[in-house]
Amino acid sequence: MQGLTYTHRHPTQVRRLLPDLIRHRRLLFDLVSKDLRVRYRFTAMGFLWAILEPLMMTLILYFVFGYVFQFQRGTGETPFYAVSLLCGLVFWQFFSRSLTAGVRSLVDHENLVSKVYFPRELVPLSVMGTNLVNLIIGTVILMVLFLALGGRPGASVFWMLPALVIQMGLVAGLLLLLSCLHVFYRDVAYIVDVVMVMGFYASPIFYTYETHVRPALEGHPWALALYTANPMVGLLTVYRQALVVGGTPDLDLLLWPAFFAALALGVGAWLFRRKSGVLADYL
Amino acid sequence: MNPIIRLEHVTKAFRPRRAPGRLLKGDLLRAFRGVRHEPFIALRDLSFDVAPGESVGIIGRNGSGKSTLLKLIAGVTVPTQGDVSVYGRVASLLELGAGFHPYLTGRENVFLNAAILGMSRARTVEMFDRIVEFSGVGDFIDHPVETYSSGMYVRLAFAVAVHVDPDVFLVDEVLAVGDEAFQRKCRRRIGELKEQGKTILFVSHDLGVVNTLCDRVILLHGGEMVVRDTAQDTIQYYLRLVGGESSTAVLRDGRSEVVFNNGRLSLFHHRRELTAPDGIQVCLRSMEQDHAGMAATWHVEMIGGASCVARGRLPRLPAVLVWRLRLEGDSLQCGLALECDRDVSIEFFDVLCALRTAYRRWLYGEMSGVFPDITPEDVTRLTLVSPAVSCREVAAMGVDDDSEPAVFARMDSTAGFWRMQWANADYLAASRLLCIGGRVPDQESLFTQGVHELVSFKLELGGEPDAIRHRFVARNTLACGGLSAHFAHGQVRLRQGEVELTQFVHGYASMLIGDLWNDSSSFRWDPVHNDGVRLRATGHSRRFPFRQHWTLQCENGGCRVRIELEALEALDVQEYHFSVGLRTDYDSWRSDHEEGHFDDFIAGEEDWRHMNRLYAPGHRVAAMGAGLPTVLLEAGHTGPPVRMTAINTGFSHQARVLQALRTPDAGCLHFEPGTHLFFEGTVFVRP
């Protein structure tokens, strides 16, 4: 059994964040597995929902944007429009679901946070962990769909990994920052909800950055800069390019998301550590 | 030794919680105007150490910062200034069911909860069966906790909490969970943890528990540590501290002091507290629900400096409890009444006077005894006097006459069902209990709208022990030369100087009617008349229509016993006897016809075994023992013929018995209605 010695100063030190998380990794897994079990308990189809949900979403989006509006015209990826859709959707949902649920997580887990000492970072991070499992399932479906439609993925799919690392950093950083802020200002979760709805349309999911947005905003550098300030633009584009287009994706698209993620992580971890001692007082 | 918990100049302030719309109207506007809200200081400059293995209680009124202090030590929140250091693993029982999810099964929740409390997976697997067994949840362990009753939920949570085996336990008022049986289990478990040398921090309003469990008690008042001392002293200080509100009162007269605090009375004599921290409280039961006087909302009206009327409105019963208290010198007159707004049915009353465990001897009417020690095994109240007997005067004293101020109690006017009883409280409450109360008979259980006087009793504090003893004993004792005979409840206790000669049944009579033995000690006895020469008592059989009239008289240095049987109806008796149970040091006997030794007692043998072989009628039987006076039982010549025998009792009660036995030659002894001489004889001692 592990011993524990602490003084109240410890949780405020940012450099102890990683050691704390590593020491409590078991608890992190337990929280994630709890979330997963709770999510599909008492459902007739259980884990199947993790597969059905993105497929249904893809179906309706394909019907609206692919069949009715013919968005795939001119992309050169006509047969794989469904794959592009699902690819964008899976990674977008990882982002948006982690944030919408994670921002509220400290408040939702009040009976834990206000009663027991453990690194509070585990709570929002466990939400990301849960959604990471869904992401993995989504990726498997994505691959199956791609192969089923006759796609032959090249070595370029491995470019998805660095993008995923950046996205995880981004999600973790934003989660730490926003979930902590939400404890003090409960408006944060509503803002996040609204931003996520806007983000669905402001991110290249059912359209593409290269064929739809860049040509349309040519000559409006400010508008383009504003659009690409959304870090998901670069990330989703790289995922799609790596999977569907093949060849080396536009790596310079990752620069801004990487910087954004590092900034969010830094600020998030700093703020969270600074406030973690008194979070319980505000719950 | 290094401390396991150290607090250095700890201050904890809370910013006042603000209303909605706070960002714009609150924060920004205030920042703009430069206004700051004063923070609320929950704890101010607190410093103390707790050594490993120590148990420390934290008491104080609501809002005095107790829970904040526990939260700081649990690491849930951090101090605004100062340092809190904990060198070990903390489990707090204030986090019962932390992280329990209603959808998960009991098993899944146990593992998750244990992980949150810091127990490793392997260890949880190891302890799992014990946790389930302790919780008593049984097969439900694989059902979602959503389907649990609230009792099962809390039991399971508590079971996990007490099995995580941490270095420091934080306990916060959790003993009020679950049913009676489970509470007992919890108390025992906490007692065990203390015995195992765990460090325990205990926050409670239950001063009794704090007193037993804690080596040291910290009293918080307005966020500051007021006293840190032994449990007893701090609790006394606490009771005095709270003595200023409208729900509390302090009565003083001479050396005695009575503190009434929200339904609880504490008695002081010469600045020493006589009552245990539980004090004197009322409890009643109506419609199978318990109502504690402590839960009532009390308002006290002082009448002069030494008497008061306290009225407590019960929260869940349309009734008000009224205490009338008057202190005169060292005597406290207590009257308890019930004012009913509507008709109320009440099944049970209990006025509990908890005295400190330093009280070791009890007196109860004609009986007396020593309170047994209270051990962790004692999880319920242990009553000390048979429910069959009853009296109106009791007393308790310390080990020596000087060690504790004696407490004498007399119950005055009451309804018939009120009784007094001596008892030991359980391990955690650890006190000597004088219980005044009883089950209300069905036909009287309806209390109509209006005022009902329940009971009035008087407590005398610090009386002269010898004088008190005299009140109890002298009335029923007859001096017969060197022998003194004490009559109580159909038994005669014989004593020479300080040496008790009799034991177990003492001198008593028994009749076999319809194959049932009717012992004189099971009769209902009227008060005894004693003029110093002759002691007379009348006992009523509870089973058959007859009475016995006993007369004890001093005669020729012996005690003459004359028993008359008053048959109210014709009575057929198979046989009867008068016997004297003696100490086991008596090892030989002699009758008119033969003599012999008393055999050793045989383990497992519960029947009485006759030592003599001959049963011819006789007059004398004697018992001898080294260093003891010889005891003779002699049947008088005026009484009916009897056979004198010597007997060993069964193994579990071990006594030597001298017996005058009357058996019929054939059939039954027939008694017509009327008075008959039943037995006449004398008990002597010879050096």
Side-chain angles (χ1 to χ4, degrees), chain B residues 61-105:
Chain B
R61 282 192 286 188
N62 288 337
S64 57
K66 301 181 301 251
S67 299
T68 308
L69 180 57
L70 280 199
K71 282 190 167 183
L72 284 173
I73 293 168
V76 167
T77 182
V78 297
T80 315
Q81 279 167 31
D83 292 329
V84 177
S85 306
V86 179
Y87 306 98
R89 211 143 61 83
V90 181
S92 56
L93 300 188
L94 54 110
E95 67 213 19
L96 279 187
F100 264 37
H101 195 287
Y103 282 11
L104 297 180
T105 65

Coordinates of all heavy atoms in Angstrom, one line a residue, chain B residues 61-105:
Chain B
R61 N -19.6 24.7 18.9 CA -21.0 24.9 18.4 C -21.0 24.9 16.9 O -20.0 24.9 16.2 CB -21.5 26.2 18.9 CG -22.0 26.1 20.3 CD -22.8 27.3 20.7 NE -21.9 28.4 20.9 CZ -22.3 29.6 21.4 NH1 -23.6 29.7 21.7 NH2 -21.5 30.6 21.6
N62 N -22.2 24.8 16.3 CA -22.4 24.9 14.9 C -21.7 26.2 14.4 O -21.9 27.2 14.9 CB -23.8 24.9 14.4 CG -24.5 23.6 14.7 OD1 -23.8 22.6 14.7 ND2 -25.8 23.6 14.8
G63 N -20.9 26.1 13.3 CA -20.3 27.3 12.7 C -19.0 27.6 13.4 O -18.5 28.7 13.2
S64 N -18.5 26.8 14.3 CA -17.3 27.2 15.0 C -16.0 26.8 14.2 O -14.9 27.0 14.6 CB -17.3 26.5 16.4 OG -17.4 25.1 16.3
G65 N -16.2 26.1 13.1 CA -15.1 25.8 12.2 C -14.6 24.3 12.3 O -13.6 24.0 11.7
K66 N -15.5 23.5 12.9 CA -15.0 22.1 13.1 C -14.9 21.4 11.7 O -13.9 20.7 11.5 CB -16.1 21.3 13.9 CG -16.3 21.8 15.3 CD -17.3 20.9 16.0 CE -18.6 20.9 15.2 NZ -19.8 21.5 15.8
S67 N -15.9 21.5 10.9 CA -15.9 20.8 9.6 C -14.8 21.3 8.7 O -14.1 20.6 8.0 CB -17.2 20.9 8.9 OG -18.2 20.3 9.8
T68 N -14.6 22.6 8.8 CA -13.5 23.3 8.0 C -12.2 22.7 8.4 O -11.3 22.3 7.5 CB -13.5 24.8 8.2 OG1 -14.8 25.3 7.9 CG2 -12.5 25.4 7.2
L69 N -12.0 22.5 9.7 CA -10.7 22.0 10.2 C -10.5 20.5 9.6 O -9.4 20.2 9.1 CB -10.8 22.0 11.7 CG -9.5 21.4 12.4 CD1 -8.3 22.2 11.9 CD2 -9.7 21.5 13.9
L70 N -11.6 19.7 9.7 CA -11.4 18.4 9.1 C -11.1 18.4 7.6 O -10.3 17.6 7.1 CB -12.7 17.5 9.4 CG -12.9 17.0 10.8 CD1 -13.9 15.9 10.7 CD2 -11.6 16.5 11.4
K71 N -11.8 19.3 6.9 CA -11.5 19.4 5.5 C -10.1 19.8 5.2 O -9.5 19.3 4.2 CB -12.5 20.4 4.8 CG -13.9 19.8 4.7 CD -14.7 20.7 3.8 CE -16.0 20.0 3.4 NZ -16.8 20.8 2.5
L72 N -9.6 20.7 6.0 CA -8.2 21.0 5.8 C -7.2 19.9 6.0 O -6.3 19.6 5.2 CB -7.8 22.2 6.8 CG -8.3 23.6 6.5 CD1 -8.0 24.5 7.6 CD2 -7.7 24.1 5.2
I73 N -7.5 19.1 7.0 CA -6.7 17.9 7.3 C -6.8 16.9 6.3 O -5.9 16.2 5.9 CB -6.9 17.4 8.8 CG1 -6.5 18.5 9.8 CG2 -6.2 16.1 9.0 CD1 -7.0 18.2 11.2
A74 N -8.1 16.7 5.8 CA -8.3 15.7 4.7 C -7.7 16.2 3.4 O -7.6 15.4 2.5 CB -9.8 15.5 4.5
G75 N -7.2 17.4 3.3 CA -6.6 17.9 2.1 C -7.6 18.3 1.0 O -7.3 18.6 -0.1
V76 N -8.9 18.4 1.4 CA -9.9 18.7 0.5 C -9.8 20.2 0.1 O -10.0 20.6 -1.0 CB -11.3 18.4 1.0 CG1 -12.4 19.1 0.2 CG2 -11.5 16.9 1.1
T77 N -9.4 21.0 1.0 CA -9.2 22.4 0.8 C -7.9 22.9 1.5 O -7.4 22.1 2.3 CB -10.4 23.2 1.2 OG1 -10.2 24.6 0.9 CG2 -10.7 23.1 2.7
V78 N -7.4 24.0 1.1 CA -6.1 24.5 1.7 C -6.3 25.7 2.5 O -7.3 26.5 2.2 CB -5.1 24.7 0.6 CG1 -4.8 23.4 -0.2 CG2 -5.5 25.8 -0.4
P79 N -5.5 26.0 3.4 CA -5.6 27.2 4.3 C -5.3 28.4 3.5 O -4.5 28.4 2.6 CB -4.7 26.9 5.4 CG -3.7 26.0 4.9 CD -4.4 25.1 3.9
T80 N -5.8 29.5 3.9 CA -5.5 30.8 3.3 C -4.1 31.2 3.8 O -3.3 31.8 3.0 CB -6.6 31.9 3.8 OG1 -7.8 31.3 3.7 CG2 -6.5 33.1 2.9
Q81 N -3.8 31.0 5.0 CA -2.5 31.3 5.5 C -2.1 30.1 6.4 O -2.9 29.4 7.0 CB -2.4 32.5 6.4 CG -2.4 33.8 5.6 CD -2.7 35.0 6.4 OE1 -2.4 35.0 7.6 NE2 -3.3 36.0 5.9
G82 N -0.8 29.9 6.6 CA -0.3 28.9 7.5 C -0.1 27.5 6.8 O -0.3 27.4 5.5
D83 N 0.3 26.5 7.5 CA 0.7 25.3 6.9 C -0.1 24.1 7.6 O -0.2 24.1 8.8 CB 2.2 25.0 7.1 CG 3.0 25.9 6.2 OD1 2.5 26.3 5.2 OD2 4.1 26.2 6.7
V84 N -0.6 23.2 6.7 CA -1.1 22.0 7.2 C -0.3 20.9 6.7 O -0.1 20.8 5.5 CB -2.6 21.8 6.8 CG1 -3.1 20.4 7.2 CG2 -3.5 22.9 7.2
S85 N 0.3 20.0 7.5 CA 1.1 18.9 7.0 C 0.5 17.6 7.6 O 0.2 17.6 8.8 CB 2.5 19.0 7.5 OG 3.0 20.3 7.1
V86 N 0.4 16.6 6.8 CA -0.1 15.3 7.2 C 0.9 14.3 6.7 O 1.2 14.3 5.5 CB -1.5 15.0 6.6 CG1 -1.9 13.7 7.1 CG2 -2.5 16.1 7.1
Y87 N 1.4 13.5 7.6 CA 2.5 12.5 7.3 C 1.8 11.2 7.4 O 2.1 10.4 8.3 CB 3.7 12.6 8.2 CG 4.2 14.1 8.2 CD1 3.9 14.9 9.2 CD2 5.0 14.5 7.2 CE1 4.4 16.2 9.3 CE2 5.5 15.8 7.2 CZ 5.2 16.7 8.2 OH 5.7 17.9 8.2
G88 N 1.0 10.8 6.4 CA 0.4 9.5 6.4 C -0.9 9.6 5.6 O -1.2 10.6 5.1
R89 N -1.5 8.4 5.5 CA -2.7 8.4 4.7 C -4.0 8.7 5.5 O -4.1 8.1 6.6 CB -2.9 7.0 4.0 CG -3.5 7.1 2.7 CD -2.9 6.1 1.7 NE -3.1 4.7 2.3 CZ -4.2 4.1 2.1 NH1 -5.2 4.6 1.4 NH2 -4.4 2.9 2.6
V90 N -4.8 9.5 5.0 CA -6.0 9.9 5.7 C -7.2 9.3 5.1 O -7.3 9.3 3.9 CB -6.1 11.5 5.7 CG1 -7.4 11.9 6.5 CG2 -4.9 12.1 6.2
A91 N -8.1 8.7 5.9 CA -9.4 8.4 5.4 C -10.4 9.1 6.2 O -10.3 9.1 7.5 CB -9.6 6.9 5.5
S92 N -11.3 9.7 5.6 CA -12.3 10.4 6.4 C -13.6 9.7 6.3 O -14.1 9.4 5.2 CB -12.4 11.9 6.1 OG -12.6 12.1 4.8
L93 N -14.3 9.5 7.4 CA -15.6 8.9 7.3 C -16.6 10.0 7.0 O -17.8 9.8 7.1 CB -15.9 8.2 8.7 CG -15.0 7.1 9.1 CD1 -15.4 6.4 10.3 CD2 -14.8 6.2 7.9
L94 N -16.2 11.2 6.7 CA -17.1 12.2 6.3 C -17.4 12.1 4.8 O -18.2 12.8 4.3 CB -16.6 13.7 6.7 CG -15.2 14.1 6.2 CD1 -15.4 15.1 5.1 CD2 -14.4 14.7 7.3
E95 N -16.7 11.2 4.2 CA -16.8 11.1 2.8 C -17.6 9.8 2.4 O -17.3 9.1 1.4 CB -15.5 11.1 2.1 CG -14.7 9.8 2.4 CD -13.2 10.1 2.5 OE1 -12.9 11.3 2.6 OE2 -12.4 9.2 2.4
L96 N -18.5 9.4 3.3 CA -19.2 8.2 3.1 C -19.8 8.1 1.6 O -20.5 9.0 1.2 CB -20.4 8.0 4.0 CG -20.0 7.6 5.4 CD1 -21.2 7.3 6.3 CD2 -19.2 6.3 5.3
G97 N -19.4 7.1 0.9 CA -19.9 6.9 -0.4 C -19.4 7.9 -1.4 O -20.1 8.1 -2.4
A98 N -18.2 8.4 -1.2 CA -17.7 9.4 -2.1 C -17.5 8.7 -3.5 O -16.8 7.6 -3.6 CB -16.3 9.9 -1.7
G99 N -18.1 9.2 -4.5 CA -17.9 8.6 -5.8 C -18.9 7.4 -6.1 O -18.8 6.8 -7.2
F100 N -19.7 7.1 -5.2 CA -20.7 6.0 -5.4 C -21.6 6.5 -6.6 O -22.1 7.6 -6.6 CB -21.6 5.8 -4.2 CG -21.2 4.7 -3.3 CD1 -19.8 4.4 -3.1 CD2 -22.1 3.8 -2.7 CE1 -19.4 3.4 -2.3 CE2 -21.7 2.8 -1.9 CZ -20.3 2.6 -1.7
H101 N -21.8 5.5 -7.5 CA -22.7 5.9 -8.6 C -23.9 5.0 -8.6 O -23.8 3.7 -8.5 CB -22.0 5.7 -10.0 CG -22.7 6.4 -11.1 ND1 -23.9 5.9 -11.6 CD2 -22.5 7.6 -11.7 CE1 -24.4 6.7 -12.5 NE2 -23.5 7.8 -12.6
P102 N -25.1 5.5 -8.7 CA -26.3 4.7 -8.5 C -26.4 3.6 -9.5 O -27.0 2.5 -9.2 CB -27.5 5.7 -8.6 CG -26.9 6.9 -9.2 CD -25.4 6.9 -8.8
Y103 N -25.9 3.8 -10.7 CA -26.1 2.7 -11.8 C -25.1 1.6 -11.6 O -25.4 0.5 -12.1 CB -25.8 3.3 -13.1 CG -26.9 4.2 -13.7 CD1 -28.0 4.6 -13.0 CD2 -26.8 4.6 -15.1 CE1 -29.0 5.3 -13.5 CE2 -27.8 5.3 -15.6 CZ -28.9 5.7 -14.8 OH -29.9 6.5 -15.4
L104 N -24.0 1.8 -10.9 CA -23.1 0.7 -10.7 C -23.5 -0.3 -9.6 O -24.2 0.1 -8.7 CB -21.7 1.2 -10.4 CG -21.1 2.1 -11.4 CD1 -19.7 2.6 -11.0 CD2 -20.9 1.4 -12.8
T105 N -23.0 -1.5 -9.7 CA -23.4 -2.5 -8.7 C -22.6 -2.2 -7.4 O -21.6 -1.5 -7.5 CB -23.0 -3.9 -9.2 OG1 -21.6 -4.0 -9.3 CG2 -23.7 -4.3 -10.5

